[in-house]
Every structure is written in structure tokens, then in C-alpha cells.
Amino acid sequence: MVLENKLNITNSVDLAHQEEKITKKKAVELFDKDKITSFEVGTFQGLKAIHHYLFQDIYEFAGELRTVNIAKGNFRFAPVVYLSQALQAIDQMPQATFDEIVEKYVEMNVAHPFREGNGRSMRIWLDNILKQELGYVVDWAKIDKANYLMAMERSPIKDLEIKYLLKEALTDDINNREIYMKGIDASYDYEGYNVYKADEL
């Protein structure tokens, strides 16, 4: 099933390519045009703004709460009926320490508020929190895809693995464009989007 889109694309491969190209370009703009600094940090409103910015040219639902239940493999994300409540609770979670920030990230992942594009938006959102609160970002290019996906899958039950992976990849070189670009490519690759390079768009 191909998601309804503003480009009227009906082939899933074509849509994936266009989605990667357009949203990656937008992700580059967040850094190059310093758009990211105008968004709230660590709130659903901030995540919503990131998601809308990335996906506004492709999906009507950019930045909008999903209205359907979704799952990945055997894991079911927060049911629609509890979604707003879950997001309010996440907004109240503290974000002063590394552990608190990752715990907030794990809960937001369980919520998975959007129909599509959650992971890519959330990793930018996470870096924004780490940058503001601790003066670090994740060098995503250092985190192996299989290890990351496995750790995230297990994180609702046990978050030690994802905390370890993220902590090992932290850098205080927070304004390094190359780290950001490679990070966007890695983040997209986790989701299977790897046709375009961020710094070539």
C-alpha cells in the first residue's frame, strides 16, 4: 500500500526515492539555514515542527498526529486512543541528564506520533535536546545500523543498550557540518533510505 502523497506517486519505490531526496534536502536546511534553533526543544511541539518541516512537501499529514494504529514487526506503538495522553506525559519528563534525555527519547519512540517519518524526525529532535542540555550531539555515523535497531527494539523493556550505544557516539563538536550530514545519512539508512547523500543534494 502506497501512502497518499502530494506528489500523486503510486509506486512505493518511486515514493521512497522522492521522499528521501526531498526530506533529506529539508534536513540539510535545518542545519544550513539554522531553522532548528527556532523550534521548541524536548517537547512534542518541537518534534511536530521538525516533522512538518521535513515532510510538508510530500504528505498532508506532516506534523499531524496519526489517526491509525501502527506496528513494526511484533511491536505495537501507542494506541491512537492513548496517544495525546502519552505525549502530554512525555512533555513532562525531565531532560537534565543524559539518562533522562534517552529515557524521554525511548518513550517518544514508543508513542510514534506520526503516520510515517518518526525515526528520522526523532533523531534530529534528540540531538537538539542533547545539544541544548549537555553540549553534545550523537555522531550517528558511528552507530551500526543492526545494533541500533536491535537496541531500539529492546529499549521499551531495557534501555541499557541504547544508552550505551548513544553515549559511546557522543561528540561535543556540535556545529560540525560534516558530522551532521553523515548523521542524516546514517539516520536515513536505519530506515532503508540510502540512495542519496545529504551533502550532494
Side-chain angles (χ1 to χ4, degrees):
M1 191 191 82
V2 180
L3 283 175
E4 202 171 302
N5 58 86
K6 291 182 175 182
L7 309 174
N8 296 317
I9 295 172
T10 54
N11 177 290
S12 57
V13 175
D14 292 346
L15 178 59
H17 288 173
Q18 285 306 307
E19 184 183 311
E20 180 185 357
K21 190 178 188 178
I22 292 166
T23 63
K24 232 177 214 185
K25 202 170 183 178
K26 289 281 192 182
V28 171
E29 284 176 13
L30 284 177
F31 186 91
D32 285 348
K33 296 184 177 179
D34 204 25
K35 295 275 186 190
I36 195 74
T37 54
S38 65
F39 299 155
E40 283 185 18
V41 179
T43 64
F44 173 63
Q45 278 304 118
L47 179 61
K48 182 179 168 145
I50 292 167
H51 189 273
H52 182 263
Y53 194 83
L54 294 181
F55 292 94
Q56 61 187 325
D57 296 334
I58 301 172
Y59 299 119
E60 293 288 352
F61 60 72
E64 300 295 324
L65 274 186
R66 61 182 163 85
T67 55
V68 294
N69 289 324
I70 56 173
K72 189 177 269 185
N74 292 323
F75 187 78
R76 294 190 172 282
F77 297 107
V80 168
V81 65
Y82 299 124
L83 195 48
S84 295
Q85 202 179 330
L87 292 168
Q88 284 168 16
I90 293 165
D91 273 357
Q92 301 306 313
M93 289 176 75
Q95 55 185 49
T97 67
F98 174 78
D99 280 2
E100 287 174 352
I101 292 167
V102 178
E103 283 155 20
K104 194 167 194 172
Y105 171 62
V106 166
E107 286 304 314
M108 188 61 88
N109 186 59
V110 172
H112 242 61
F114 311 113
R115 183 72 186 82
E116 166 74 13
N118 289 280
R120 288 166 283 167
S121 305
M122 265 184 264
R123 285 184 283 274
I124 293 171
W125 178 79
L126 171 64
D127 271 334
N128 223 19
I129 307 174
L130 289 166
K131 188 188 285 191
Q132 175 180 284
E133 302 294 343
L134 306 177
Y136 287 98
V137 292
V138 178
D139 185 348
W140 294 100
K142 286 186 173 173
I143 301 179
D144 175 76
K145 177 178 177 174
N147 290 346
Y148 170 80
L149 293 174
M150 215 177 326
M152 284 306 289
E153 200 177 307
R154 290 200 267 253
S155 65
I157 295 126
K158 201 171 193 178
D159 60 17
L160 289 176
E161 283 175 76
I162 194 64
K163 282 177 177 172
Y164 176 79
L165 283 179
L166 293 174
K167 188 167 255 183
E168 287 292 296
L170 288 179
T171 174
D172 61 1
D173 199 358
I174 57 174
N175 297 312
N176 185 316
R177 189 174 185 271
E178 188 184 352
I179 287 174
Y180 179 83
M181 294 300 164
K182 284 183 176 174
I184 291 297
D185 285 334
S187 174
Y188 272 65
D189 186 43
Y190 297 154
E191 315 290 342
Y193 295 89
N194 49 25
V195 175
Y196 303 98
K197 292 277 181 227
D199 62 0
E200 292 169 5
L201 292 169

